[in-house]
């Protein structure tokens, strides 16, 4: 029986993975080693009981008692805290999904590759903040990383592994998010609620707001650069409001292979779960006649400065990814808390990148986790200082 672990089980990606595992037979088909959550004790306990997990870990230590109570009478072990998540990631499992949101996903993902495991990676932040470290550790320990972000899963599926050097460029699509049709001068007054609704995908709140600001696509451009070792000029972004084509690979002979499917994360998660097989998945088949047409637009860097910043991060290399990721997370926290406007997020991140570039060793890729975390903390402080200097938004 295959063993699996899911980090971030209580989130949007985690729920989709749980659905796939249950439909595939649950504890009859898979041995679940570890499931983790952030604060949602009730749902974590429910999932752990259903899959008969060996251990359930909640990241908030104050919730250990509540988790123990919720698991009373079951065989599932309860644990809490960052170090317990770290320990759970070191437990052997054949397949591990990294679906924690944000930089908290970095350490568990790294532990999985360091034990030579198979890491299904939804947490794009790990590749943005620490791509060279994660990829080097993966090679060193003979690990396998399978992309779960839908565009990268699509690229992975379109890439003819024998002809990677014949790739002319790749294209990842973007829906354009909640504000793609808003007049530019309205963007500065966009509220958290408005930014939290996605036209096509049902996802966690943070990635949904990142889709509206295009920071999500910016992260994905960097993710493609790190994972597929492609330079800026070989990664293109195309706005495709219907979210049916997820990515395309254009070869030197002029052929372009595209990956199409309905916007349902269970495809990308299920593909990674069954790889290299293609097992049946509960994803509705595509009905192109019903859709009628697919449309495309060039990305607008005035509307979405995050895309320009992503290009600069790739050109700079070194610690720029760690700074970009952390500054973006901090700016997003500040937008959600009402401390800055929607349109302040990109200038806040740009400020942190400028400050980072002035510090020693910015040009060197962090080779250790501690170095990544130090750049992360400095970037968050730089964003906070930028906001404090400007005062509250009225
Ligand atoms: P959600 O916000 O829905 O879920 C996040 C998960 O992480 C939850 O299980 C949450 O726990 C847990 N969590 C939050 N903070 C911490 C922490 N500090 N330590 C440990 N666990 C924590 O996010 P999504 O599922 O939308 O996204 C997960 C990842 O997948 C992100 O990296 C995202 O970019 C990526 N991704 C998501 C897609 C999607 O369709 N949603 C598509 C492609 C990529 P709890 O809820 O219990 O507090
Ligand atoms: Mg994506």
């Amino acid at each position: 029986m295959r063993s699996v672990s899911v980090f971030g089980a209580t989130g949007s990606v985690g729920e989709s993975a749980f659905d796939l595992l249950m439909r595939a037979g649950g504890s009859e088909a898979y041995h679940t080693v570890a499931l983790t959550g952030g604060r949602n004790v009730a749902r974590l306990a429910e999932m752990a009981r259903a899959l008969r997990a060996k251990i359930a870990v909640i990241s908030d230590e104050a919730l250990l008692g509540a988790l123990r109570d919720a698991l009373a009478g079951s065989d599932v072990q309860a644990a809490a805290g960052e170090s317990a998540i770290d320990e759970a990631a070191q437990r052997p499992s054949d397949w591990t999904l990294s679906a924690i949101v944000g930089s908290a996903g970095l350490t568990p993902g790294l532990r999985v590759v360091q034990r030579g495991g198979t890491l299904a990676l939804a947490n794009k932040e790990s590749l943005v903040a620490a791509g060279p470290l994660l990829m080097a550790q993966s090679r060193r320990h003979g690990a396998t990383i399978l992309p779960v972000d839908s565009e990268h899963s699509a690229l992975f599926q379109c890439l003819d592994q024998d002809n990677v050097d014949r790739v002319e460029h790749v294209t990842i699509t973007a829906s354009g998010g909640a504000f793609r049709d808003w007049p530019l001068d309205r963007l500065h007054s966009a509220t958290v609620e408005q930014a939290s609704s996605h036209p096509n995908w049902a996802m966690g709140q943070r990635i949904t707001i990142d889709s509206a600001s295009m920071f999500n696509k910016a992260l994905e451009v960097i993710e493609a650069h790190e994972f597929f070792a492609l330079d800026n000029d070989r990664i293109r972004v195309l706005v495709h409001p219907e979210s049916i084509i997820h990515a395309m690979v254009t070869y030197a002979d002029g052929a372009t292979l595209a990956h199409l499917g309905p916007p349902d994360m269970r495809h990308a998660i299920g593909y990674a779960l069954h790889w290299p097989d293609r097992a049946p998945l509960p994803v509705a088949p595509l009905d192109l006649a019903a859709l009628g047409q697919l449309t495309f637009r060039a990305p607008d860097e005035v509307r979405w400065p995050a895309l320009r910043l992503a290009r600069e991060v790739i050109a700079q290399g070194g610690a720029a990814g760690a700074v970009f990721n952390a500054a973006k997370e901090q700016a997003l926290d500040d937008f959600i808390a009402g401390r800055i406007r929607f349109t302040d997020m990109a200038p806040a991140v740009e400020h942190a990148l400028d400050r980072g570039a002035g510090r020693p060793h910015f040009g060197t890729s962090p080779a250790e986790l501690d170095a990544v975390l130090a750049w992360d903390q400095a970037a968050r402080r730089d964003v906070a200082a930028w906001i404090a200097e400007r005062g509250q938004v009225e």
Side-chain angles (χ1 to χ4, degrees), residues 192 206 209-210 213 215 309 323-352 376 379-387 390:
V192 172
R206 299 183 70 88
I209 300 176
D210 282 350
S213 63
F215 266 110
L309 294 177
V323 170
F324 180 78
N325 182 63
K328 192 283 297 174
E329 285 186 17
Q330 183 62 51
L332 178 58
D333 285 343
D334 291 319
F335 171 61
I336 292 172
R339 287 187 287 269
I340 57 173
R341 293 179 184 281
F342 182 76
T343 44
D344 289 333
M345 288 191 283
V349 172
E350 189 159 20
H351 169 77
D376 178 295
R380 286 172 203 265
R381 284 195 299 273
D382 287 337
V383 169
W386 183 81
I387 291 168
R390 297 168 69 250

Side-chain angles (χ1 to χ4, degrees), residues 21 23 36 42 45 89 104 111 117 127 129 145 147 187 210 228 239 258 272 362:
L21 292 170
R23 284 169 191 259
T36 81
R111 296 296 179 236
L127 276 172
I145 303 180
L187 279 184
D210 282 350
F228 297 107
V239 177
F362 180 74

